[in-house]
Amino acid sequence: MGSYSSLYLLPVLTVATAFLGADGKLDPNYYRQKCPQALSIVEAGVVAAIKNETRVGASLLRLHFHDCFVNGCDGSILLDDTANFVGEKTAAPNNNSVRGFEVVDHIKAKLEKACPGVVSCADILAIAARDSVVYLGGPSWKVKLGRRDSTTASGSLANTFLPSPASNISSLISSFSTQGLSLKNLVALSGSHTIGLARCTSFRARIYNDTSTIDASLAKSLQRNCPKSGNDDNLADLDVRTPTHFDNLYFKNLLEKKGLLHSDQALFNGTSVDSLVKRYASNNEAFFKAFAKGMIKMGKISPLTGSKGEVRINCRKVN
């Protein structure tokens, strides 16, 4: 879930209040009558995409996270820039980094044929994140639905609220707390880095400078593919053990100083957070349960419901 940005933190109460107030408005059965085939259409699209390219499962999960952390789970990350606003796609944490937009487009087109103007892009992201995790071996959960889509996006807010891969533990705690998410949510949701890849530019400083908190052999092997300058887009697995399988080995890596990002290893670096990392490293079931709870909670951050926003016909632009 790491990205590139500095952190400026608004008071916790502002976001948390909106998040709590909207809780009852979302419903796992929202499309049961409006579009009965909605969930199966999204699942089929996700599975086909992952079969074509395994990496995209992690990309779809990350899209949902990066969407929810900027003005709530409103599909704003999917909007292309316009003459009226600079959106989130080109913000520093997302530019040349977030991906999977074509998969969302394909799923949306199928949904528009089946149920025109019914299923929101924000809900597609929430369902696709769950289906990606499940297909790659992780836990399932009931996705609460009924979000509507934003009519604008903000690159500046993306730069503000998305945590950096260089974050220390206090910055991470503050970033998640601003969204109404607990320390337990932070650690469990960081476990999403059990799948996916990261660009050299996001871990370069760690493999050359974090000598006391990184396994020396791992650093040396990563340096071969990520020099001190250049090759910014070269990729490395976030989980050195099972990078395409959703499991708790991410946490076992942290116990051995094998977290790829500085923000990963910050979770296990001699603080009180260490105990949660140890728990999830030794108990996959506990991790899965906490991850599912964390995803449900994150999915409820400031959704647009009722008459707010719209249901976009094309996820890349407002109607």
Side-chain angles (χ1 to χ4, degrees):
M1 288 184 173
S3 53
Y4 331 99
S5 72
S6 58
L7 291 169
Y8 174 77
L9 302 169
L10 294 178
V12 174
L13 184 61
T14 306
V15 178
T17 301
F19 151 87
L20 292 171
D23 185 6
K25 297 180 182 177
L26 300 179
D27 182 352
N29 299 316
Y30 185 80
Y31 295 113
R32 178 172 287 178
Q33 311 226 315
K34 295 172 183 281
C35 186
Q37 61 271 61
L39 294 178
S40 60
I41 289 173
V42 177
E43 181 184 21
V46 168
V47 170
I50 296 175
K51 283 182 177 179
N52 182 59
E53 184 203 31
T54 306
R55 178 188 177 194
V56 83
S59 301
L60 292 169
L61 174 57
R62 189 165 181 252
L63 272 180
H64 182 44
F65 167 75
H66 280 223
D67 182 40
C68 291
F69 263 54
V70 183
N71 271 344
C73 309
D74 61 0
S76 56
I77 195 171
L78 302 173
L79 287 172
D80 291 335
D81 292 355
T82 72
N84 298 320
F85 63 80
V86 176
E88 297 162 32
K89 285 183 177 180
T90 53
N94 295 329
N95 197 31
N96 298 318
S97 178
V98 288
R99 55 198 303 280
F101 299 110
E102 295 79 8
V103 177
V104 176
D105 292 340
H106 178 75
I107 291 171
K108 179 61 172 172
K110 295 270 190 183
L111 287 166
E112 284 302 308
K113 284 184 179 179
C115 314
V118 174
V119 182
S120 69
C121 302
D123 276 348
I124 292 173
L125 291 182
I127 301 165
R130 188 269 313 275
D131 291 347
S132 294
V133 169
V134 171
Y135 187 78
L136 294 172
S140 185
W141 60 92
K142 287 188 176 182
V143 179
K144 295 194 174 186
L145 302 167
R147 301 168 191 80
R148 287 166 64 84
D149 299 320
S150 68
T151 55
T152 189
S154 173
S156 62
L157 289 180
N159 286 327
T160 297
F161 285 114
L162 291 170
S164 161
S167 294
N168 60 27
I169 190 61
S170 60
S171 293
L172 290 169
I173 291 171
S174 295
S175 179
F176 276 68
S177 178
T178 297
Q179 305 295 344
L181 297 171
S182 68
L183 176 61
K184 188 174 182 180
N185 297 147
L186 159 63
V187 178
L189 292 175
S190 294
S192 64
H193 284 179
T194 183
I195 54 174
L197 301 163
R199 297 163 68 221
C200 167
T201 185
S202 66
F203 60 83
R204 176 183 283 125
R206 169 156 168 73
I207 63 176
Y208 288 101
N209 302 331
D210 290 1
T211 53
S212 65
T213 62
I214 189 169
D215 176 80
S217 62
L218 175 64
K220 189 173 182 180
S221 67
L222 289 168
Q223 287 168 7
R224 287 195 287 268
N225 194 44
C226 181
K228 288 186 176 181
S229 63
N231 294 334
D232 284 359
D233 292 332
N234 282 3
L235 300 170
D237 295 322
L238 283 160
D239 178 349
V240 298
R241 301 189 192 208
T242 54
T244 61
H245 187 70
F246 198 99
D247 54 34
N248 68 334
L249 295 189
Y250 164 82
F251 296 104
K252 294 185 179 182
N253 294 335
L254 299 185
L255 300 184
E256 300 174 2
K257 298 184 178 182
K258 291 181 179 179
L260 180 63
L261 306 179
H262 181 89
S263 56
D264 289 327
Q265 198 60 52
L267 301 177
F268 189 78
N269 193 25
T271 72
S272 59
V273 185
D274 288 5
S275 59
L276 273 173
V277 173
K278 288 179 179 177
R279 172 164 169 73
Y280 297 149
S282 63
N283 190 329
N284 193 62
E285 185 179 352
F287 164 50
F288 276 16
K289 185 176 181 180
F291 184 84
K293 285 186 175 180
M295 289 297 293
I296 292 170
K297 193 173 180 182
M298 185 182 76
K300 295 186 292 186
I301 298 174
S302 303
L304 299 173
T305 56
S307 60
K308 296 177 182 177
E310 64 181 19
V311 175
R312 284 185 225 133
I313 305 304
N314 178 338
C315 291
R316 294 175 181 262
K317 60 184 183 180
V318 298
N319 294 342

